[in-house]
Amino acid sequence: MEDQDRGVAALLAHARAGVRRLTPEETVAAIRRGALLVDTRTDPQRAEQGELPGALVIDRTVLEWRLDPASAWRIPEAVDYDVEIVVVCRQGYSSSLAAASLRALGLWRATDLIGGFEAWRRAGLPCGDGPADVRR
């Protein structure tokens, strides 16, 4: 294995290859057409930065189980593999890896928000102070 094929930078590049990631404005449009907005930020991050209105908060450790339509532990919104999903983290890195994992499950429309919640806020889009729609 070549050095350029190793490490988190290579993993991230692979996760993003060929994927149309969304800007904050494109994310708003996706929500309007029915996409699931999934916030994977930690509780402390959300408490400090604010909530993402309309987002389902799903911990990264259970993300695949909650969104896989074939899982016994899925959320009600995980109706089939054609659901559009936009994953959001703080800065848009771990969300790319999470979206790649969802695509590997067969959720082929999974993507993420470029720049994460910080880009959402910089774009002047609404933020809230809760309560969040947390799915355990």
Side-chain angles (χ1 to χ4, degrees), residues 1 14 55 67 71 74 80 87 93-94 126:
M1 179 180 279
H14 180 72
L67 293 175
S71 169
R74 71 185 174 277
D80 61 44
V87 183
Y93 295 100
S94 67

Side-chain angles (χ1 to χ4, degrees), residues 39 41-53 55 57 88-89 117-118 120-121 126-132:
D39 190 346
R41 291 177 299 143
T42 64
D43 291 340
Q45 287 173 334
R46 292 189 347 269
E48 178 184 319
Q49 299 168 339
E51 298 295 345
L52 193 53
V57 176
V88 180
C89 67
F117 183 81
E118 290 180 3
W120 179 274
R121 189 175 350 169
C127 302
D129 55 7

